[in-house]
């Protein structure tokens, strides 16, 4: 749809950016913090370890001041479970509470609204030893953690996100270092979807608890949503795209919002003898939880073509944004209409609008963009970083938000990835996303000095004009 006149961004729009604890904080075993799965995993070759990252733990004041300088209205960060509960349950670590109290208060000092992710890829290592999400007790572990968070921070944190990219944990868990399976596991698909079921029940209970403990707070999920296009207008390709949309996207949100298993996903699980076991009361728990909004991460769309044989060869090289496929359901397909980033992710700004329209049409909840951004090899030249490619990427995506708003989609905010440079899930700190450059490399910890990238100044102008001035 073409619009003659664009609607403005809402007055109270959360312009900000995102990070996650294990990727940005460093100090990974300091001040009583216990190890998470990220601290004990084997690192992808050549990538920075997680001891220092951007050292946000020690630089948070400087970092929040820089965010304030850009005019941030929100800062989306995650709380490391093992900083609060070093073993995942049991004793609370007062130093962990103190750190996040300080961070939250620092944000509030500048009128930056903290948007807190409760779980971002960092399962406590001690809980992994006890069976991780395969153990039914994981529901109670998570709800207990949620209770500690709401008790300690609920007076000031009014926007909560439950589990970051639960769909990616399920689809590409090993790649991001998070998938622990029992040794004798015979049916991996069944185990993975049982874990996923536990996460969904845990999320539902956390949402109900949040509403009970902090009645003026809002809470929502934060999956990675990438609308799936058919590779062509062949009906078989359209069916394949529906399959992948169900498996990748709608399944998670149908459960979070409506408390029901998506029928296509269920049919897929039946084919694999992999339907999850429901404990008594699960169906009700899932139905009783109601998110206030949908947080979602968007980097690009996906494309699928038909897979008409159980013997189809499926490419295994999948990460969050590279569709692989499921024999008999769909095959991933490179979209020839899109360009790619230096790291091979397709770039699709109009697909962002497609995704927002579809999300709103399906769920009728306000949308909060919790991630979007461009990973690139930035270069420090003197004290400058000329990241015009990032400006272009963000510019094009923000334009699509305004178009979606004009289409009638309710948008709460935009929090691109990432506020400052941090360590990528599997490609090191050389894959930079930040608006703020951090002087450090995968090979050695640097001065950790912060530099304002060109995108920093540009985003500042965007925020000051409430999105009216996107020019570079
Ligand atoms: C999302 C995650 O998948 O994308 C982040 O929520 C991640 O944790 C981001 O860093 C970018 O992905 P990557 O693999 O480039 O770090």
């Amino acid at each position: 749809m073409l619009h003659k006149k664009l609607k403005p961004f809402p007055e109270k729009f959360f312009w900000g950016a995102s990070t996650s604890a294990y990727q940005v904080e460093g100090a990974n075993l300091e001040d009583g913090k216990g190890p998470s799965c990220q601290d004990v995993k084997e690192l992808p070759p050549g990538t920075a370890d997680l001891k220092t990252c951007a050292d946000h733990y020690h630089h948070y004041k400087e970092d929040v001041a820089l965010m304030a300088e850009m005019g941030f209205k929100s800062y989306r960060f995650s709380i490391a479970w093992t900083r609060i509960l070093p073993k995942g349950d049991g004793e609370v670590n007062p130093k962990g509470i103190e750190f996040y109290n300080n961070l939250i208060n620092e944000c509030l000092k500048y009128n930056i609204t903290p948007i807190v992710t409760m779980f971002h890829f960092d399962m406590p290592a001690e809980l992994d030893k006890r069976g991780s999400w395969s153990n039914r007790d994981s529901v109670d572990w998570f709800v207990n953690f949620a209770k500690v968070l709401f008790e300690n921070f609920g007076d000031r944190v009014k926007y909560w996100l439950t589990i970051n990219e639960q769909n990616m944990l399920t689809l590409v868990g090993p790649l991001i270092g998070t998938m622990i399976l029992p040794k004798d596991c015979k049916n991996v698909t069944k185990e993975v979807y049982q874990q996923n079921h536990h996460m969904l029940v845990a999320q539902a209970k956390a949402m109900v608890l949040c509403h009970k403990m902090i009645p003026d707070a809002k809470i929502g999920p934060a999956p990675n949503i990438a609308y799936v296009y058919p590779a062509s207008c062949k009906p078989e390709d359209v069916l394949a795209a529906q399959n992948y949309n169900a498996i990748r996207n709608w399944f998670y949100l149908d459960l979070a919002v409506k408390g029901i298993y998506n029928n296509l996903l269920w049919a897929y699980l039946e084919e694999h003898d992999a339907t999850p076991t429901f404990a008594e009361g699960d169906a009700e728990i899932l139905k009783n939880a109601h998110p206030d909004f949908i947080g979602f991460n968007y980097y690009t769309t996906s494309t699928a073509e038909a897979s008409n044989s159980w013997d189809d060869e499926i490419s295994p090289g999948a990460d969050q944004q590279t569709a692989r496929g499921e024999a008999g359901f769909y095959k991933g397909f490179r979209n020839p209409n899109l360009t790619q980033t230096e790291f091979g992710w397709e770039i699709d700004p109009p697909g962002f609008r497609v995704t927002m329209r579809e999300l709103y049409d399906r769920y009728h909840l306000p949308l909060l963009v919790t991630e979007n951004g461009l990973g690139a090899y930035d270069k420090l030249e003197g004290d400058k970083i000329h990241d015009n490619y990032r400006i272009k990427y963000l510019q094009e995506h923000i334009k699509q938000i305004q178009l979606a708003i004009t289409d009638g989609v309710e948008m709460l905010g935009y929090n691109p990835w990432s506020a400052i440079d941090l360590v990528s899930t599997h490609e090191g700190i050389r894959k930079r996303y930040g608006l703020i450059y951090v002087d450090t490399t995968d090979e050695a910890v640097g001065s950790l000095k912060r530099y304002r990238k060109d995108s920093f100044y540009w985003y500042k102008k965007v925020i000051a004009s409430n999105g009216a001035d996107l020019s570079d």
Side-chain angles (χ1 to χ4, degrees):
M1 194 189 306
L2 294 175
H3 292 294
K4 288 202 180 115
K5 205 165 167 253
L6 291 178
K7 288 191 188 144
F9 284 86
E11 248 170 53
K12 194 175 175 285
F13 188 74
F14 286 133
W15 295 103
S18 291
T19 62
S20 96
Y22 89 89
Q23 294 174 277
V24 76
E25 285 177 4
N28 66 336
L29 297 174
E30 221 174 289
D31 285 342
K33 180 181 171 295
S36 79
C37 59
Q38 298 295 344
D39 302 309
V40 299
K41 76 176 183 190
E42 200 177 312
L43 291 172
T47 63
D49 65 35
L50 302 171
K51 286 193 197 108
T52 312
C53 301
D55 202 26
H56 188 51
Y57 188 76
H58 296 112
H59 289 72
Y60 74 90
K61 282 196 179 182
E62 182 186 351
D63 294 340
V64 174
L66 284 165
M67 294 176 204
E69 189 183 321
M70 269 185 277
F72 274 25
K73 311 288 181 224
S74 56
Y75 173 34
R76 178 214 175 202
F77 57 89
S78 79
I79 291 190
W81 189 335
T82 51
R83 220 179 263 298
I84 302 294
L85 296 159
K87 296 196 160 141
D89 63 358
E91 291 286 295
V92 172
N93 173 27
K95 282 278 188 192
I97 302 283
E98 187 187 320
F99 171 68
Y100 292 109
N101 267 333
N102 291 342
L103 178 57
I104 290 163
N105 293 341
E106 201 63 20
C107 290
L108 295 176
K109 184 169 118 186
Y110 297 105
N111 285 326
I112 296 175
T113 299
I115 299 176
V116 172
T117 315
M118 299 162 67
F119 180 70
H120 194 124
F121 300 165
D122 55 354
M123 190 68 170
E126 287 299 319
L127 296 183
D128 270 350
K129 286 188 198 155
R130 290 159 64 187
S132 196
W133 291 105
S134 287
N135 187 337
R136 172 74 202 188
D137 290 348
S138 56
V139 173
D140 296 337
W141 301 334
F142 186 75
V143 175
N144 173 56
F145 171 50
K147 185 162 168 270
V148 176
L149 297 186
F150 300 152
E151 259 164 16
N152 282 280
F153 309 121
D155 58 332
R156 286 151 296 147
V157 176
K158 303 298 177 188
Y159 282 85
W160 295 91
L161 298 161
T162 53
I163 299 180
N164 180 69
E165 295 196 352
Q166 189 183 326
N167 50 344
M168 293 304 119
L169 288 174
T170 302
L171 293 169
V172 292
L175 183 100
I176 43 187
T178 53
M179 179 66 66
I180 301 292
L181 293 171
K183 281 205 183 70
D184 55 350
C185 176
K186 292 198 180 65
N187 181 340
V188 173
T189 309
K190 184 167 173 66
E191 196 61 44
V192 164
Y193 280 89
Q194 187 64 51
Q195 294 195 349
N196 183 70
H197 180 77
H198 292 154
M199 281 188 235
L200 289 162
V201 175
Q203 165 176 269
K205 284 188 136 186
M207 291 199 287
V208 169
L209 187 68
C210 178
H211 288 139
K212 197 167 139 212
M213 289 179 66
I214 332 170
D216 59 340
K218 296 188 190 308
I219 187 162
N224 176 317
I225 301 297
Y227 187 77
V228 183
Y229 301 133
S232 76
C233 53
K234 266 195 271 172
E236 292 75 12
D237 287 344
V238 176
L239 289 167
Q242 287 182 328
N243 289 344
Y244 190 33
N245 263 314
I247 290 176
R248 190 195 192 289
N249 299 317
W250 313 141
F251 158 47
Y252 298 88
L253 289 170
D254 287 356
L255 275 154
V257 180
K258 304 175 189 164
I260 48 168
Y261 266 84
N262 179 287
N263 58 296
L264 293 182
L265 180 276
W266 195 260
Y268 161 84
L269 294 179
E270 282 176 335
E271 291 286 348
H272 288 82
D273 195 18
T275 52
T277 307
F278 275 54
E280 214 190 312
D282 280 3
E284 261 201 329
I285 293 169
L286 291 168
K287 277 244 174 231
N288 287 342
H290 302 290
D292 302 287
F293 62 89
I294 291 175
F296 74 106
N297 300 346
Y298 174 88
Y299 288 87
T300 186
T301 45
S302 281
T303 306
E305 65 174 337
S307 163
N308 294 321
S309 156
W310 297 113
D311 301 321
D312 260 349
E313 287 217 355
I314 299 292
S315 145
D319 67 11
Q320 304 100 301
Q321 301 306 152
T322 324
R324 56 182 172 167
E326 293 284 344
F329 291 90
Y330 68 94
K331 282 199 286 191
F333 186 85
R334 271 280 174 205
N335 188 335
N337 303 299
L338 305 177
T339 57
Q340 292 172 21
T341 71
E342 288 177 298
F343 290 84
W345 288 10
E346 292 169 345
I347 302 179
D348 186 5
F352 192 20
R353 182 180 179 196
V354 174
T355 302
M356 290 181 275
R357 284 174 166 212
E358 191 68 20
L359 278 172
Y360 195 65
D361 190 35
R362 289 183 72 93
Y363 304 107
H364 284 282
L365 283 174
L367 306 180
L368 177 66
V369 182
T370 41
E371 284 181 37
N372 169 242
L374 179 74
Y377 295 102
D378 293 342
K379 255 217 288 142
L380 180 63
E381 298 176 67
D383 61 354
K384 305 257 181 291
I385 301 93
H386 300 301
D387 59 341
N388 56 322
Y389 37 87
R390 180 166 296 107
I391 293 175
K392 185 158 187 306
Y393 179 100
L394 298 174
Q395 213 170 35
E396 293 301 319
H397 284 82
I398 294 173
K399 277 187 199 159
Q400 298 298 323
I401 301 180
Q402 195 172 7
L403 284 164
I405 290 172
T406 312
D407 290 336
V409 177
E410 241 178 301
M411 297 299 301
L412 293 178
Y414 181 63
N415 292 271
W417 190 260
S418 50
I420 73 179
D421 285 345
L422 40 70
V423 180
S424 132
T425 57
H426 60 294
E427 292 176 296
I429 201 159
R430 59 184 174 271
K431 186 183 192 184
R432 295 176 184 270
Y433 283 89
L435 300 156
I436 299 164
Y437 184 93
V438 179
D439 178 31
T440 190
T441 65
D442 286 312
E443 292 72 37
V445 176
S447 68
L448 298 170
K449 197 169 166 221
R450 274 63 174 147
Y451 294 89
R452 295 162 180 81
K453 298 186 191 178
D454 286 358
S455 55
F456 176 106
Y457 298 106
W458 170 81
Y459 196 41
K460 181 176 175 176
K461 210 169 47 142
V462 172
I463 299 177
S465 67
N466 197 28
D469 181 4
L470 298 183
S471 66
D472 43 353

